[in-house]
Amino acid sequence: MANSISEETMEYVGILAKLELSGEEKEQARKDMERMLEYIDQLNELDTSGVEPMSHISPLHNVFREDQVTNGDDRDAILSNAPEARDGSFVVPRTVE
Amino acid sequence: MDILQDTAAALGKRIKAGEVTAVEACEAVLERIRQRDQELNCYITVDEEGALARAEEVQRQLEAGRLTGPLAGVPVAIKDNMNTKGMETTCASRILKGFVPSFTAEAVGNLEKAGAVIIGKTNMDEFAMGSTTETSYFGPVKNPWNTAHVPGGSSGGSAAAVAAGECFYALGSDTGGSIRQPASFCGVVGMKPTYGAVSRYGLIAYGSSLDQIGPLSKDVTDCAMILEAIVSHDKKDSTSVALTETDYTSALTDDVRGLRIGIPKDYFGEGLDPLVKASVLQAVELLAKRGAVVEEFELSLVQYAIPAYYVIACAEASSNLERFDGVKYGYRAKGAEDLHQMYKRTRSEGFGREVRRRIMLGSFVLSSGYYDAYYLKALRTKALIRQAFDRAFAKYDVIIGPAAPTTAPKLGESLEDPIQMYLGDIYTVSVNLAGLPGICVPCGKDHRGLPIGMQIIGDCFEEKKLIRTAYTYECAAKEGGSHE
């Protein structure tokens, strides 16, 4: 197979994607990805030398505005969606010892 | 007198004339939802109480002469990836279940200003990733024409709700065909405007360089009217474009004399259902009879659009969906010992399979060592695809082809083979890659009675040409009775 993805690569992609897949699921994801990459490889038939990558379709430049506060204080409304909040803050598991 | 037979434009007129009230219209839609949505599953949230209260308020404002627009009092459904202040917004995902936004998407806000009554939020593929509305955490939507079939996706709930009379029109979003393909499968009109025409502020992002909000409606007149209401220049979306010629309803003219129509041969080749092909070509024939100049041509690069699209869309998705981490909103996995584990478990349990698949692929193509070979290659391909369209629009005013290679597949037949499902997007994705506007109008039915759609593609900001072409076809089809 043209695109065999190693165990280590899958592990690395899992870290980047912040996903924890079970053993069986990991195997399935690896197969899915190999198939997708094989399919995507047909792009290599195209000669794109000298073609600039096009990230955006419109010739946009930086759009600037004055750095002024226009919205109100939504703190309580925003925190009301948090799985856990206390004293006007988000609560997360311990991050430092 | 059945209110539900009305188009949005007709209902708006009758409300203004005092023949129907906004409350009656709202009640009629809610009654239809009670009758049919158990089976169809178009809605994730129906805000019965809020909609009726809003309808009463709009009615008062209409009577006081403070609301005068053509959509005032007309009930609308919003795809559940657009934020609606105070109304749950889930993206059809477990990870956002229970999320109640503190703000409203700009396009939705524009409709509210026009006096729209929001009925609820429509079902969709999870995070708009899918072509059948089967990846929803809240179960699949069924096609109102035949409930054994899918409505298409990802805006399947919006398209099916319009087709079933569960709203008068709806908003959807289109990243790779997610408005046009379900419009095709459900026999309604759907338009993806030019990238930048409608603000994306408050649209929960999938592929930011491709996403665009647009209308799903009963006919072309409604489509133009809705577009006129939602297009705006928005400082909160830096890709939003300031447009001057936004009087789209002025393009509702039955006239295509001299219009140059290009028919891409590569949109009519292998893989296209012969019935779909015949229907679309017959529709083009009607336009030719109305005076359009039709010519075949080779668009080229069509088969490369899907792989380029999936690389770009998944790359952007992997970045956009990083925000769902169990801290700020939605679902959080229980019992994690540290922050990193909490992130991983929350996302693994909160996202469905197709979303995880695309995040993994996107993370891979953006990772060092693969970035050039995959991501940059896809962006270069995108540039070539855009050039191919530029060449086409130097010769033609619009390009016409099918919206999808087949009519709606049966439920449960698509998800097993992702690549097969992705291939169904072949006629729609290049339009997103090139940022162009595209409209899908119903042009027939197959032997099972499932609708077929014709796609009309224009150059950037040429929505009026699309509307004129689609409207002329609609008039011709009504006259000729060839619509059925």
Side-chain angles (χ1 to χ4, degrees):
Chain A
M1 183 170 264
N3 286 290
S4 76
I5 300 172
S6 67
E7 211 47 44
E8 294 75 49
T9 304
M10 281 307 281
E11 206 60 44
Y12 177 57
V13 172
I15 291 168
L16 292 175
K18 295 226 174 350
L19 287 170
E20 188 177 63
L21 305 181
S22 67
E24 187 191 335
E25 225 187 348
K26 210 180 282 176
E27 190 46 35
Q28 187 57 45
R30 195 167 66 87
K31 276 192 199 142
D32 279 354
M33 207 144 87
E34 282 175 352
R35 254 195 94 209
M36 273 305 286
L37 292 176
E38 202 176 342
Y39 174 64
I40 290 166
D41 275 343
Q42 59 174 307
L43 292 179
N44 293 327
E45 297 164 15
L46 279 176
D47 180 9
T48 53
S49 48
V51 180
E52 276 297 305
M54 185 189 222
S55 56
H56 250 277
I57 59 108
S58 37
L60 275 178
H61 303 287
N62 280 335
V63 180
F64 293 106
R65 61 168 171 77
E66 290 305 312
D67 188 17
Q68 279 166 345
V69 178
T70 53
N71 56 332
D73 177 11
D74 285 341
R75 191 182 74 177
D76 292 343
I78 288 165
L79 281 173
S80 70
N81 275 305
E84 210 183 330
R86 197 165 56 222
D87 304 333
S89 306
F90 295 108
V91 176
V92 294
R94 176 184 287 274
T95 54
V96 284
E97 292 305 319
Chain B
M1 174 193 74
D2 186 1
I3 296 175
L4 296 177
Q5 295 299 317
D6 277 350
T7 62
L11 177 69
K13 255 186 213 155
R14 290 217 284 155
I15 289 175
K16 244 202 271 184
E19 295 164 30
V20 183
T21 67
V23 179
E24 283 166 350
C26 184
E27 277 169 347
V29 162
L30 291 171
E31 180 54 32
R32 174 59 64 90
I33 292 170
R34 279 192 287 271
Q35 285 165 9
R36 292 215 66 189
D37 211 48
Q38 199 80 16
E39 182 183 25
L40 296 179
N41 203 24
C42 299
Y43 283 90
I44 292 174
T45 301
V46 178
D47 182 17
E48 205 162 308
E49 212 173 294
L52 283 168
R54 166 77 178 156
E56 277 171 28
E57 168 63 20
V58 167
Q59 185 63 33
R60 273 194 298 275
Q61 292 197 32
L62 272 159
E63 283 164 17
R66 283 196 298 273
L67 272 177
T68 53
L71 289 171
V74 181
V76 60
I78 307 291
K79 187 177 183 180
D80 209 22
N81 61 351
M82 285 169 233
N83 282 301
T84 42
K85 188 175 177 175
M87 197 188 289
E88 190 178 351
T89 300
T90 69
C91 271
S93 180
R94 180 186 191 189
I95 212 162
L96 264 182
K97 197 171 180 320
F99 171 62
V100 180
S102 57
F103 68 106
T104 293
E106 189 71 3
V108 178
N110 288 344
L111 285 182
E112 284 178 332
K113 270 180 232 146
V117 175
I118 296 169
I119 295 294
K121 306 298 287 293
T122 53
N123 206 348
M124 53 186 277
D125 281 296
E126 184 180 359
F127 282 101
M129 298 179 188
S131 312
T132 63
T133 316
E134 291 175 294
T135 71
S136 167
Y137 178 66
F138 300 95
V141 176
K142 289 171 183 163
N143 192 312
W145 294 91
N146 183 333
T147 53
H149 292 256
V150 303
S154 65
S155 310
S158 287
V162 173
E166 292 188 11
C167 60
F168 283 84
Y169 69 102
L171 291 189
S173 68
D174 191 317
T175 307
S178 282
I179 290 175
R180 290 159 288 153
Q181 183 256 30
S184 177
F185 285 1
C186 290
V188 300
V189 173
M191 181 193 259
K192 177 202 111 58
T194 307
Y195 185 82
V198 179
S199 168
R200 290 179 295 111
Y201 177 76
L203 171 70
I204 299 171
Y206 161 21
S208 313
S209 75
L210 309 161
D211 296 340
Q212 189 65 186
I213 293 171
L216 287 131
S217 63
K218 293 183 180 180
D219 68 5
V220 180
T221 303
D222 282 4
C223 177
M225 228 168 59
I226 301 156
L227 187 66
E228 213 165 278
I230 60 174
V231 163
S232 67
H233 181 221
D234 182 9
K235 288 203 170 97
K236 300 186 291 308
D237 171 3
S238 61
T239 60
S240 156
V241 178
L243 299 170
T244 46
E245 304 278 307
T246 58
D247 53 335
Y248 298 107
T249 46
S250 71
L252 292 165
T253 52
D254 179 359
D255 181 11
V256 290
R257 281 169 302 171
L259 188 89
R260 298 161 302 163
I261 298 177
I263 304 294
K265 280 188 236 167
D266 17 16
Y267 272 37
F268 290 86
E270 211 185 315
L272 178 62
D273 182 327
L275 269 170
V276 174
K277 181 177 177 176
S279 268
V280 173
L281 290 177
Q282 212 178 3
V284 171
E285 189 56 36
L286 280 183
L287 287 167
K289 277 193 193 139
R290 283 292 218 256
V293 183
V294 179
E295 191 179 278
E296 282 191 342
F297 75 109
E298 204 83 51
L299 180 62
S300 83
L301 301 172
V302 173
Q303 73 271 34
Y304 301 110
I306 296 177
Y309 168 80
Y310 277 94
V311 170
I312 294 167
C314 292
E316 293 182 10
S318 73
S319 168
N320 278 324
L321 271 59
E322 276 174 8
R323 59 172 62 91
F324 303 102
D325 56 6
V327 173
K328 301 177 290 298
Y329 26 62
Y331 177 77
R332 175 188 287 189
K334 304 248 177 323
E337 277 153 25
D338 60 45
L339 188 65
H340 206 71
Q341 199 182 49
M342 191 276 282
Y343 288 153
K344 281 191 141 190
R345 285 202 193 155
T346 294
R347 291 164 59 80
S348 304
E349 293 167 19
F351 291 133
R353 183 175 166 188
E354 183 63 27
V355 175
R356 290 198 302 268
R357 174 158 42 216
R358 295 194 195 190
I359 292 175
M360 291 288 280
L361 184 71
S363 303
F364 177 81
V365 299
L366 288 178
S367 66
S368 61
Y370 299 99
Y371 181 85
D372 286 12
Y374 289 104
Y375 184 63
L376 288 185
K377 182 77 185 181
L379 291 184
R380 290 190 168 95
T381 306
K382 172 179 166 160
L384 292 178
I385 289 170
R386 176 57 190 259
Q387 286 167 17
F389 276 110
D390 284 344
R391 282 194 298 274
F393 287 119
K395 286 190 290 181
Y396 308 110
D397 294 300
V398 297
I399 294 171
I400 293 183
T406 62
T407 52
K410 281 202 167 127
L411 284 152
E413 281 183 352
S414 306
L415 295 190
E416 273 317 299
D417 185 353
I419 290 179
Q420 203 53 43
M421 179 169 86
Y422 301 163
L423 283 173
D425 300 340
I426 185 150
Y427 307 129
T428 48
V429 289
S430 24
V431 170
N432 299 77
L433 288 173
L436 307 169
I439 190 171
C440 177
V441 287
C443 69
K445 299 219 178 74
D446 73 2
H447 54 289
R448 291 164 302 195
L450 289 165
I452 296 169
M454 160 170 74
Q455 181 180 209
I456 309 167
I457 303 165
D459 204 355
C460 285
F461 304 111
E462 295 283 8
E463 276 82 354
K464 281 187 184 173
K465 276 185 191 166
L466 300 192
I467 289 166
R468 182 154 64 93
T469 312
Y471 182 75
T472 303
Y473 167 70
E474 206 176 62
C475 293
K478 261 184 217 155
E479 242 171 58
S482 69
H483 194 80
E484 291 305 306

